[in-house]
Amino acid sequence: MITEIGHYALVLALILAVAQATLPLIGAQRGSRPWMALAQPTAIGQFGFLGLSFLALIHAYVVSDFSVAAVYENSHSAQPLIYRIAGAWGNHEGSLLLWVLILALFGALLALFGDNLPPRLRARALSVQAMISVGFLLFMLFTSNPFARLDPAPLEGRELNPLLQDPGLATHPPMLYIGYVGLSMAFSFAIAALIDGKVDAAWARWVRPWTLLAWTTLTAGIVLGSHWAYYELGWGGWWYWDPVENASFMPWLIATALLHSAIVVEKRDALKAWTILLAILGFAFSMLGTFLVRSGVITSVHAFAQDPARGLFILALLTVAIGGSFVLFAWRAPILKAGGMFAPISREGAMVINNLLLATATATVLLGTLYPLILSVSGGGTVSVGTPYYNATFVPLTLPLVALTAIGPFLGWKRGDLPAAMQRLTFAFIATFIAAVLTWWWRTDGPLLAVLGIAIGVWLLAGTLLEWAGRVKLFRTDLATSWSRAVNLPRAAYGMTLAHAGLAIAIIGMTGASAWKVEHIQVMHVGETVEVGDYAYRLDNVQTLPVENYLAERATFTVLQDGKTVTTLQPERRQYLVQPMPTTESAVHTTWKQDLYAVIGEPDGKGGWTVRFYHEPLVIWIWGGGFVMVFGGLISLSDRRYRVGAPSRALAAIRAARA
């Protein structure tokens, strides 16, 4: 009965989404306030029905109702409760319902807290948001019903993919979906602005919080997913340039560009058409990621579905939504006046270069992602595009981008003084030179580019700290004045500082983990010791342990340095009982300098086991830098100016118009 209620709730949500997509849009065109006002109750009602539907699906997983096809395919009564709950979105149908639920949540938030927006803009934005919901709800109900029944009902389920039975499933996908939906809000505001023919500072102020939320949650989702793959897959890597990894990374790059471009619109009334285009592209890349995951064109642990019919539906939806948006953009963009002028050397100019480099970097990732798929479909054979391609194309674009990120904040608006900015960065030059020399002296066994990577990370970190010190006049006035300026500094300024500093820290970690990684593979017997770098690993024992829904072979390694015990590592090799899939669970000892990483593999049949050891220098800096960036985004979101949502002059104009 509860399952049927969930199904009916989906149908009712679709009806409300159709009403929300049409009536307020017509009302905005006719200037009818009652019709525009319909956007609010329909958005809230749609979220209510989708929430009820999602709870019904969670209930089916918790009670192991195997008459529901999705539960049968992705759950088992012996699974721990956390994986039965998280398994609700660890598959195509459930994840699609979560995606639409978050979409409706954002619409409800805009309906409840968007009173400071012009009624026409809010009505049109909510209508565009509902059009996206209509497309996905139709897709769900006709091709991917999460409540489809099986008759007769099986006694047991087929179990969740063992690789997904990890706490990361509870956090990684929802974070990515919030990011994707945040970009859909920027897209909805952009389409509403194109229909209205007006983009100004107030519009930029309204769209920035949604973009910032998308960027923050996408950052968190990418970091969580990278860390999950690092310890779960057992190969000691933190990024593989997998097509679906790229599918989440490309919207992040565009969202980064959109954030900076919206600042120029808000501050200088410039780059209007470009900002609108970025908002459309950001959502287009989110839709592309949905297509890659659910179309069957790739084979990956990330892939939710392998049904070409579903892929064609999403492709049609992508064509209508994004193709129609580009047509509207081509028609309306010429009426968006350029606004304020600025010199090439200025803060605006730095952000333009920033945007161009980010867009070009996104294009290189897009080419590397789609080229093997296009070649395969066209009968050109199979080709793999891996790390060498991205090192040769993406990395050279990011080096000037990061260097410019440290310089840009020191340039003035409209017209900047580059020599003065470089003079203020003298300490950053000194710190960078010292870091490069020390790196070369400390680690002569790595590639020369590693020295450049560490140097560019230190350059950005030093430049970011200098910019903050300049804001508070540190060491240029008394401490009491500096403290007062620091306390009164806008939270958005702290957010920018933390985001740039986090990026610098992550770059240092990526460089260390890529350049000086040590890998050792061999067969070991109990009691043997192997030397890897400065450490000795002794295999003490291997035990077979029954655990809930799998059998584990757990090895115990004692790690020694100079004869002293450093730590004990206990990696596992798991054999799941329902799906006979062996998986590995690495054991990692983390310090600020490096990770000691151990994996146990297949037995050799002669009393030995294949083992792998990795030394991962500075890898913790990657995760640390990523979460510093996330914290910076959250600090920025707490800025009062984002809560207000519009400049005071714009609010005054709105109130005067209403009066």
Side-chain angles (χ1 to χ4, degrees):
M1 181 62 182
I2 294 178
T3 299
E4 278 65 40
I5 291 174
H7 190 188
Y8 296 150
L10 277 184
V11 176
L12 292 172
L14 174 61
I15 294 171
L16 285 177
V18 171
Q20 181 186 338
T22 54
L23 300 180
L25 196 63
I26 296 171
Q29 188 66 28
R30 294 180 175 178
S32 171
R33 286 186 175 274
W35 282 42
M36 287 189 286
L38 287 173
Q40 294 165 268
T42 51
I44 296 169
Q46 183 195 159
F47 170 67
F49 283 122
L50 284 170
L52 178 62
S53 182
F54 189 70
L55 289 176
L57 183 64
I58 293 288
H59 175 267
Y61 275 88
V62 170
V63 302
S64 296
D65 182 359
F66 298 120
S67 69
V68 178
V71 179
Y72 165 70
E73 293 287 345
N74 301 282
S75 190
H76 190 277
S77 60
Q79 280 180 197
L81 178 61
I82 184 176
Y83 300 139
R84 295 209 302 274
I85 295 174
W89 56 81
N91 59 88
H92 168 67
E93 293 83 2
S95 65
L96 194 61
L97 178 54
L98 177 62
W99 205 102
V100 181
L101 174 65
I102 296 174
L103 187 71
L105 171 61
F106 275 61
L109 291 174
L110 181 59
L112 289 170
F113 304 108
D115 289 339
N116 56 335
L117 278 82
R120 289 176 186 268
L121 180 65
R122 180 166 65 166
R124 285 169 172 157
L126 285 172
S127 288
V128 175
Q129 196 79 355
M131 291 178 192
I132 302 170
S133 289
V134 169
F136 277 97
L137 284 168
L138 288 173
F139 176 46
M140 193 186 315
L141 288 168
F142 286 103
T143 72
S144 311
N145 184 2
F147 300 103
R149 290 282 197 177
L150 294 175
D151 188 19
L155 296 177
E156 265 298 350
R158 298 180 61 183
E159 189 178 43
L160 180 66
N161 184 335
L163 288 174
L164 299 179
Q165 294 189 39
D166 185 272
L169 181 63
T171 54
H172 166 57
M175 283 293 177
L176 286 182
Y177 295 165
I178 295 171
Y180 290 155
V181 173
L183 288 175
S184 79
M185 287 298 298
F187 170 81
S188 297
F189 273 103
I191 299 303
L194 284 176
I195 296 172
D196 194 42
K198 181 181 180 182
V199 176
D200 55 15
W203 177 88
R205 181 70 62 86
W206 290 318
V207 82
R208 276 180 65 193
W210 303 107
T211 307
L212 183 58
L213 178 59
W215 180 89
T216 302
T217 51
L218 269 176
T219 304
I222 290 170
V223 171
L224 289 168
S226 176
H227 185 251
W228 182 4
Y230 171 72
Y231 69 77
E232 175 67 24
L233 298 182
W235 57 283
W238 50 272
W239 193 259
Y240 193 65
W241 294 107
D242 179 279
V244 182
E245 288 179 334
N246 295 348
S248 62
F249 187 47
M250 289 184 288
W252 184 88
L253 292 171
I254 295 297
T256 304
L258 177 57
L259 272 177
H260 291 82
S261 180
I263 293 173
V264 179
V265 176
E266 181 183 345
K267 300 289 187 183
R268 296 287 303 139
D269 199 33
L271 303 184
K272 296 178 182 179
W274 173 251
T275 303
I276 293 288
L277 179 60
L278 286 176
I280 295 173
L281 285 174
F283 183 62
F285 279 112
S286 295
M287 291 285 288
L288 176 64
T290 302
F291 171 72
L292 290 175
V293 170
R294 303 173 192 277
S295 62
V297 298
I298 62 167
T299 301
S300 167
V301 66
H302 300 95
F304 281 130
Q306 301 294 332
D307 184 354
R310 292 172 173 174
L312 288 175
F313 196 110
I314 298 176
L315 190 60
L317 185 60
L318 178 64
T319 302
V320 171
I322 304 306
S325 301
F326 282 134
V327 170
L328 180 62
F329 176 78
W331 176 44
R332 301 290 283 176
I335 69 173
L336 301 177
K337 296 181 180 179
M341 304 297 292
F342 54 87
I345 298 178
S346 62
R347 190 172 299 190
E348 299 97 320
M351 290 187 181
V352 169
I353 298 174
N354 158 293
N355 272 224
L356 292 175
L357 288 172
L358 284 169
T360 307
T362 306
T364 64
V365 178
L366 178 65
L367 178 62
T369 303
L370 295 186
Y371 178 73
L373 304 178
I374 296 172
L375 194 66
S376 176
V377 170
S378 62
T382 302
V383 67
S384 175
V385 176
T387 302
Y389 164 78
Y390 294 102
N391 285 345
T393 58
F394 182 81
V395 172
L397 290 169
T398 58
L399 293 177
L401 174 65
V402 174
L404 186 63
T405 302
I407 299 171
F410 288 92
L411 297 174
W413 291 103
K414 193 174 181 179
R415 183 179 300 277
D417 187 344
L418 184 59
M422 302 306 286
Q423 185 177 6
R424 294 172 64 186
L425 284 163
T426 301
F427 175 77
F429 278 110
I430 296 171
T432 302
F433 177 76
I434 293 173
V437 171
L438 289 177
T439 302
W440 178 255
W441 171 76
W442 178 49
R443 299 300 299 256
T444 57
D445 56 337
L448 181 61
L449 284 177
V451 177
L452 180 59
I454 296 295
I456 200 72
V458 172
W459 163 258
L460 177 56
L461 182 60
T464 299
L465 296 177
L466 283 174
E467 194 272 340
W468 175 83
R471 283 175 176 266
V472 302
K473 295 188 176 180
L474 189 65
F475 304 128
R476 296 191 328 200
T477 185
D478 58 275
L479 288 177
T481 302
S482 294
W483 174 257
S484 176
R485 292 179 64 88
V487 169
N488 293 308
L489 204 62
R491 293 181 187 177
Y494 277 107
M496 182 197 75
T497 298
L498 288 169
H500 289 178
L503 177 60
I505 294 168
I507 289 171
I508 294 171
M510 293 172 191
T511 303
S514 301
W516 301 303
K517 177 179 179 177
V518 176
E519 178 180 355
H520 183 87
I521 305 175
Q522 75 170 64
V523 174
M524 288 186 71
H525 295 76
V526 173
E528 286 187 350
T529 300
V530 60
E531 301 280 343
V532 181
D534 298 331
Y535 297 89
Y537 294 80
R538 185 180 70 231
L539 178 57
D540 294 330
N541 60 67
V542 179
Q543 298 174 298
T544 301
L545 304 171
V547 181
E548 289 191 273
N549 58 330
Y550 62 87
L551 292 175
E553 285 185 330
R554 180 180 299 166
T556 301
F557 293 96
T558 299
V559 184
L560 304 108
Q561 184 179 34
D562 299 328
K564 298 180 180 178
T565 300
V566 175
T567 187
T568 299
L569 298 177
Q570 291 186 310
E572 293 182 0
R573 179 176 175 271
R574 296 177 177 178
Q575 183 71 38
Y576 282 79
L577 303 178
V578 179
Q579 293 191 33
M581 178 188 294
T583 65
T584 58
E585 290 292 319
S586 61
V588 184
H589 174 67
T590 300
T591 68
W592 71 271
K593 292 193 301 183
Q594 66 180 357
D595 277 8
L596 305 179
Y597 186 112
V599 181
I600 181 171
E602 297 280 347
D604 67 350
K606 301 177 182 178
W609 284 266
T610 301
V611 297
R612 298 195 301 276
F613 302 111
Y614 301 95
H615 290 182
E616 302 272 0
L618 303 180
V619 72
I620 190 64
W621 291 46
I622 300 175
W623 329 129
F627 283 110
V628 169
M629 295 166 70
V630 171
F631 185 59
L634 295 175
I635 292 293
S636 289
L637 281 170
S638 69
D639 194 304
R640 181 182 175 277
R641 292 176 299 173
Y642 290 144
R643 295 198 303 274
V644 170
S648 57
R649 285 180 297 174
L651 281 174
I654 293 168
R655 288 166 181 161
R658 289 177 177 175

